[in-house]
């Protein structure tokens, strides 16, 4: 037992020395990567700031009751632009010779140019068709990432942090030791630090990882040029379980390491700045204690699984959440005032991945209102800038349905359905609407299908789609629902309107 305790103590000491060194490296790299004036100049040149400012003003005018000011809306537009228009996610690069599919064959020797830009690891994406290796250097220099504009979450957070700092936003780089990175920005209108994930275009959704991705969080640290903070508590409501998983370092030692590093950072700051940081830190600790920040209440928008990366990659990491395999049956019912005004309307926008109804209510997540779904996923094509629902890779059939239940005292006058869908090659899509015992085929172009002469005793409607077929390795993509440009907002390829008789 004494020997075991000695070994465990040595392991703890080694882990604590390692985390201390890691903290020092991260703090030094924040200054080197993000505070460099030349890097900031390159970042500002890459951002269409005038256009994004116009978008921000329009967004603010639409949401006059928002607590966010114009700078916050500008940050949201930069976040969205970075995700949809600037940076690209990489699972596997296409073959540089034949443009075919590649597989990961380990690593290649980095060149001097790779090392110069921080790429000490180069992935070997190998094409079995033409026996060619395509190099994927994992650059760690955000200035180089402004040029390459591709990578996974590390590259995304790295490049976005530089852009955010260069535009004058107070920004932290956030490291989750369960293998993810993102940012936080200080929101002056809310007087607090706010979660911002460029990979997911997610703002102020701190429960995204615990409740959406189903991650078992432990240690999450935020770095800037003036402070290092343990922010783990912002990202969890089950803090008892989180604390039980924090066994890698002794808590009092971790606190001392962070305290001493912050003392060193503050030694070069003026008294006013130190007092400002103290006030913010007190408010932040109060937030951690009260769980009163962001969307800590049970908001469905926090619960979606990860959207970036292939299905297989997300499945291996356990970050799919519940959205890909929804089997729970649920019904959609109009509110009382919908009957009073004579109609109920439900529509879905794949760009925002959000439903909206005629009462102004919104609900994120394509599966959140589906009565049933099988083998479907939402896919974003960053090369073509398109988004749609399709089958999960490797499945032969996918399906989804929405079930509407109408008050028996109301009488349905007519049902209008717009259902956008596209099939390619041998892919096929069958869309139907069953009103009571009668089923109808629904058009899948931009035209509206109008269904009238409905029996007076009918009070249930089910709209369904079945996706099949396709050719080759990409067969799962050859039947697509709601295909739409990522640059289009406020467009709803699914629209169901149910009118009631007076």
């Amino acid at each position: 037992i004494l020997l075991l305790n000695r070994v465990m103590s040595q392991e703890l000491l080694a882990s604590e020395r390692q985390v201390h060194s890691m903290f020092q490296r991260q703090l030094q790299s924040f200054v080197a990567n993000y505070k460099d004036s030349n890097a900031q100049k390159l970042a500002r040149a890459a951002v269409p700031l005038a256009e994004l400012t116009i978008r921000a003003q329009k967004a603010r005018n639409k949401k006059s009751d928002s607590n966010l000011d114009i700078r916050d809306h500008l940050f949201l537009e930069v976040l969205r632009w970075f995700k949809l228009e600037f940076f690209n996610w990489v699972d596997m690069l296409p073959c540089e010779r034949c443009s075919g599919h590649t597989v990961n064959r380990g690593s290649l020797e980095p060149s001097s140019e790779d090392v110069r830009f921080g790429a000490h690891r180069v992935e070997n994406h190998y094409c079995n068709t033409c026996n060619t290796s395509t190099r994927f250097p994992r650059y760690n220099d955000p200035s180089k990432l402004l040029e390459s504009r591709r990578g996974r979450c590390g590259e995304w957070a790295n490049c976005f942090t530089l852009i955010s700092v260069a535009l004058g936003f107070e920004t932290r780089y956030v490291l989750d030791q369960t293998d993810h990175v993102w940012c936080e920005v200080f929101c002056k209108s809310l007087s607090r630090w706010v979660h911002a994930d460029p990979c997911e275009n997610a703002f102020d959704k701190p429960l995204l990882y615990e409740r959406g991705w189903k991650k078992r969080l432990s240690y999450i640290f935020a770095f800037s040029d003036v402070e290092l903070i343990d922010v783990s508590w912002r990202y969890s409501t089950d803090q008892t379980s989180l604390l039980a998983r924090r066994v890698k370092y002794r808590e009092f030692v971790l606190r001392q390491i962070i305290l001493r590093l912050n003392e060193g950072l503050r030694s070069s700051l003026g008294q006013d700045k130190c007092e400002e940081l103290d006030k913010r830190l007190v408010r932040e600790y109060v937030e951690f204690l009260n769980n009163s920040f962001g969307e800590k209440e049970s908001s469905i928008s926090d619960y979606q699984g990860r959207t970036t990366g292939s299905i297989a990659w997300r499945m291996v990491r356990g970050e799919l959440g519940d959205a890909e395999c929804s089997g729970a049956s649920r019904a959609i019912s109009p509110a009382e005032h919908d009957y009073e005004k004579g109609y109920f309307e439900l529509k879905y926008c794949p760009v925002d991945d959000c439903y909206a109804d005629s009462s102004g209510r919104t609900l994120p997540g394509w599966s959140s209102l589906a009565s049933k779904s099988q083998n479907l996923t939402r896919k974003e094509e960053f090369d073509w800038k398109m988004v749609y629902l399709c089958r999960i890779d490797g499945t032969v059939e996918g399906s989804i349905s929405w079930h509407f239940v109408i008050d028996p005292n109301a009488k349905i006058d007519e049902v209008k359905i717009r259902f956008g869908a596209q099939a390619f090659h041998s892919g096929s899509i069958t869309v139907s609407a069953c009103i009571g015992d009668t089923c109808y085929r629904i058009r899948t172009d931009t035209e509206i299908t109008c269904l009238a002469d409905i029996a007076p005793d009918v009070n249930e409607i089910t709209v369904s789609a079945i996706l099949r077929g396709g050719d080759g390795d990409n067969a799962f993509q050859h039947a697509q629902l709601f295909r739409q440009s990522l640059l289009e907002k406020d467009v709803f390829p699914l629209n169901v309107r149910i009118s009631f008789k007076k």
Side-chain angles (χ1 to χ4, degrees):
I1 293 174
L2 289 173
L3 179 60
L4 180 61
N5 287 338
R6 189 178 301 127
V7 170
M8 291 176 65
S9 297
Q10 290 174 347
E11 290 178 350
L12 266 176
L13 288 170
S15 295
E16 289 160 0
R17 285 194 294 269
Q18 288 171 3
V19 78
H20 185 226
S21 298
M22 182 271 287
F23 286 161
Q24 289 177 315
R25 289 194 305 272
Q26 289 290 345
L27 291 168
Q28 290 165 2
S29 68
F30 191 99
V31 174
N33 287 339
Y34 312 131
K35 303 301 286 186
D36 179 79
S37 59
N38 291 327
Q40 290 190 11
K41 185 177 180 181
L42 290 172
R44 286 191 292 270
V47 180
L49 188 58
E51 180 183 342
L52 297 182
T53 301
I54 293 172
R55 294 184 193 176
Q57 188 62 60
K58 289 180 178 178
R60 190 182 184 216
N61 291 341
K62 281 186 177 179
K63 299 178 180 179
S64 57
D65 59 339
S66 172
N67 292 325
L68 303 181
D69 63 21
I70 186 62
R71 284 285 291 173
D72 300 325
H73 280 286
L74 177 59
F75 180 84
L76 289 172
E77 292 301 326
V78 173
L79 188 68
R80 185 173 185 273
W81 162 81
F82 187 87
K83 161 82 170 179
L84 301 182
E85 302 177 48
F86 185 73
F87 221 71
N88 298 286
W89 183 269
V90 173
D91 287 312
M92 300 299 299
L93 293 174
C95 176
E96 62 184 18
R97 175 180 292 179
C98 70
S99 300
H101 292 285
T102 60
V103 295
N104 197 326
R105 284 279 187 89
S107 299
L108 297 170
E109 189 70 23
S111 67
S112 58
E113 182 80 357
D114 296 331
V115 173
R116 177 187 166 201
F117 294 110
H120 297 280
R121 181 164 60 94
V122 178
E123 293 182 9
N124 178 11
H125 293 188
Y126 188 78
C127 176
N128 290 311
T129 303
C130 67
N131 300 319
T132 299
S133 288
T134 297
R135 304 173 81 258
F136 177 35
R138 302 300 303 276
Y139 294 122
N140 198 40
D141 184 327
S143 298
K144 182 65 175 178
L145 293 171
L146 290 169
E147 177 187 324
S148 68
R149 295 169 56 171
R150 67 186 186 188
R152 302 196 188 107
C153 55
E155 290 92 341
W156 281 66
N158 195 355
C159 188
F160 183 80
T161 301
L162 171 60
I163 289 174
S164 182
V165 172
L167 294 178
F169 297 104
E170 292 186 74
T171 310
R172 290 170 170 174
Y173 179 90
V174 181
L175 172 64
D176 163 24
Q177 288 205 330
T178 62
D179 193 21
H180 189 46
V181 284
W182 59 89
C183 304
E184 290 180 348
V185 62
F186 190 78
C187 184
K188 290 186 178 179
S189 58
L190 300 177
S191 299
R192 61 180 172 85
W193 286 96
V194 176
H195 155 260
D197 190 332
C199 288
E200 303 292 299
N201 187 25
F203 179 80
D204 204 10
K205 300 216 173 352
L207 300 185
L208 178 67
Y209 314 109
E210 181 180 78
R211 294 192 177 181
W213 298 14
K214 309 302 182 186
K215 288 175 77 72
R216 294 167 58 83
L217 302 171
S218 55
Y219 298 98
I220 303 174
F221 304 108
F223 303 86
S224 75
D225 58 323
V226 296
E227 62 185 350
L228 159 62
I229 306 296
D230 182 351
V231 295
S232 309
W233 322 105
R234 171 173 286 120
Y235 296 92
S236 175
T237 53
D238 186 4
Q239 298 188 356
T240 301
S241 297
L242 183 143
L243 187 60
R245 290 191 290 269
R246 289 168 61 101
V247 296
K248 197 172 182 180
Y249 324 112
R250 289 170 292 178
E251 291 292 337
F252 76 93
V253 173
L254 186 63
R255 287 194 297 271
Q256 285 299 313
I257 292 172
I258 292 174
L259 179 63
R260 288 171 184 169
L261 287 171
N262 279 328
E263 287 174 350
L265 291 170
R266 292 189 176 202
S267 63
S268 60
L269 301 178
Q271 182 178 349
D272 290 345
K273 183 63 177 178
C274 289
E275 289 177 356
E276 180 187 2
L277 292 176
D278 285 336
K279 290 177 182 178
R280 288 184 183 180
L281 191 58
V282 168
R283 287 197 297 267
E284 196 163 20
Y285 284 156
V286 171
E287 289 174 356
F288 293 169
L289 291 170
N290 291 339
N291 286 355
S292 61
F293 41 86
E295 296 187 71
K296 276 289 187 180
E297 300 303 320
S298 56
S299 166
I300 294 176
S301 62
D302 280 326
Y303 301 165
Q304 300 176 81
R306 186 173 191 150
T307 63
T308 46
S310 69
I311 291 292
W313 184 77
R314 285 180 277 162
M315 190 175 294
V316 168
R317 293 168 62 92
E319 295 171 349
L320 280 173
D322 298 327
E324 314 297 343
C325 51
S326 174
S329 180
R330 56 177 64 87
I332 303 164
S333 297
E336 185 63 35
H337 53 264
D338 293 315
Y339 296 112
E340 292 174 358
K341 66 186 177 185
Y343 72 93
F344 171 75
E345 186 175 33
L346 180 74
K347 50 191 180 180
Y348 170 74
C349 174
V351 173
D352 296 327
D353 192 25
C354 189
Y355 291 95
D357 69 11
S358 46
S359 299
R361 297 172 296 187
T362 60
L363 188 62
W366 63 268
S367 67
S368 60
L369 287 181
S371 58
K372 293 181 181 178
S373 64
Q374 184 177 22
N375 299 332
L376 284 192
T377 186
R378 177 176 173 271
K379 182 171 178 60
E380 295 182 356
E381 292 181 343
F382 295 109
D383 47 355
W384 294 100
K385 307 296 183 188
M386 302 298 289
V387 61
Y388 50 83
L389 303 188
C390 66
R391 301 198 312 268
I392 292 174
D393 192 3
T395 61
V396 297
E397 181 177 294
S399 62
I400 186 169
S401 60
W402 298 264
H403 187 58
F404 300 83
V405 176
I406 310 303
D407 189 313
N409 295 319
K411 307 300 180 185
I412 300 173
D413 184 30
E414 66 176 10
V415 178
K416 292 182 178 180
I417 300 172
R418 176 185 286 116
F419 199 107
Q422 287 181 266
F424 304 88
H425 304 290
S426 64
S428 69
I429 303 167
T430 302
V431 181
S432 62
C434 293
I435 303 177
D437 296 329
T438 306
C439 293
Y440 308 84
R441 287 291 293 270
I442 303 300
R443 301 180 63 152
T444 56
D445 51 21
T446 58
E447 297 299 318
I448 294 174
T449 302
C450 184
L451 307 173
D453 300 323
I454 296 166
D457 59 341
V458 168
N459 72 326
E460 294 191 25
I461 303 168
T462 302
V463 179
S464 303
I466 300 175
L467 295 74
R468 302 187 183 96
D471 301 327
D473 293 337
N474 294 324
F476 70 101
Q477 293 177 260
H478 292 166
Q480 302 177 7
L481 305 184
F482 319 136
R483 180 180 175 87
Q484 184 176 324
S485 168
L486 282 166
L487 305 182
E488 292 180 332
K489 292 191 71 175
D490 301 323
V491 176
F492 302 91
L494 172 65
N495 191 306
V496 179
R497 182 184 174 105
I498 304 170
S499 298
F500 308 112
K501 293 181 179 179
K502 299 292 185 182

